[in-house]
């Protein structure tokens, strides 16, 4: 799957980009028709500890899934967003099976 990761207003570390890539590659085990994904890593300008925002747009045939999570670390936010996407992809796959 093609992953386009963008860090907004900061430079992302290579290990973070690699983590995002590997975590999103695991989504293909739940739904194999994923075309591409766009990941936006943002830093929120507030004094709260949970100031890391991850927004993932997943492109699949005839549909797009968008998930936005805010956590203490980017890794935690990516994990949480991917868990949400896993549930949505499983539901999508079950709908397709039910229609067939």
């Amino acid at each position: 799957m093609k992953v386009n990761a963008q860090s907004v207003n900061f430079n992302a570390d290579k290990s973070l980009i690699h983590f995002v890539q590997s975590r999103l590659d695991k989504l293909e085990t739940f739904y194999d028709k994923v075309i591409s994904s766009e990941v936006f890593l943002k830093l929120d300008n507030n004094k709260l500890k949970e100031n890391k925002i991850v927004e993932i747009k997943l492109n699949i045939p005839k549909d797009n899934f968008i998930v936005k999570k805010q956590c203490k670390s980017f890794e935690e936010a990516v994990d949480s967003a991917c868990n949400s996407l896993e549930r949505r992809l499983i539901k999508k796959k079950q709908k397709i099976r039910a229609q067939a």
Side-chain angles (χ1 to χ4, degrees):
M1 168 188 15
K2 182 183 173 201
V3 177
N4 182 14
Q6 298 178 7
S7 53
V8 181
N9 295 332
F10 75 100
N11 292 329
D13 193 33
K14 287 182 182 178
S15 61
L16 177 61
I17 300 298
H18 180 70
F19 175 79
V20 170
Q21 175 75 44
S22 64
R23 188 65 177 93
L24 286 173
D25 284 342
K26 292 178 185 176
L27 292 177
E28 289 186 321
T29 61
F30 298 99
Y31 191 78
D32 58 348
K33 296 178 182 161
V34 177
I35 299 168
S36 65
S37 62
E38 295 179 36
V39 181
F40 298 98
L41 306 168
K42 303 175 188 175
L43 279 172
D44 198 13
N45 258 351
N46 61 20
K47 294 181 182 177
L48 300 174
K49 288 183 181 177
E50 295 185 352
N51 66 340
K52 276 72 170 185
I53 301 171
V54 172
E55 189 173 333
I56 300 176
K57 180 180 177 185
L58 199 66
N59 299 318
I60 60 173
K62 300 181 184 176
D63 212 353
N64 289 329
F65 293 146
I66 299 173
V67 176
K68 187 175 183 179
K69 297 290 181 181
Q70 184 170 353
C71 295
K72 292 179 183 177
S73 70
F74 284 116
E75 289 84 358
E76 185 182 353
V78 168
D79 240 5
S80 179
C82 285
N83 288 337
S84 296
L85 285 169
E86 285 172 9
R87 287 192 300 275
R88 291 178 75 178
L89 289 173
I90 290 170
K91 282 183 184 180
K92 175 81 172 170
K93 194 171 186 177
Q94 287 174 346
K95 272 187 180 178
I96 292 172
R97 283 187 181 165
Q99 291 173 354

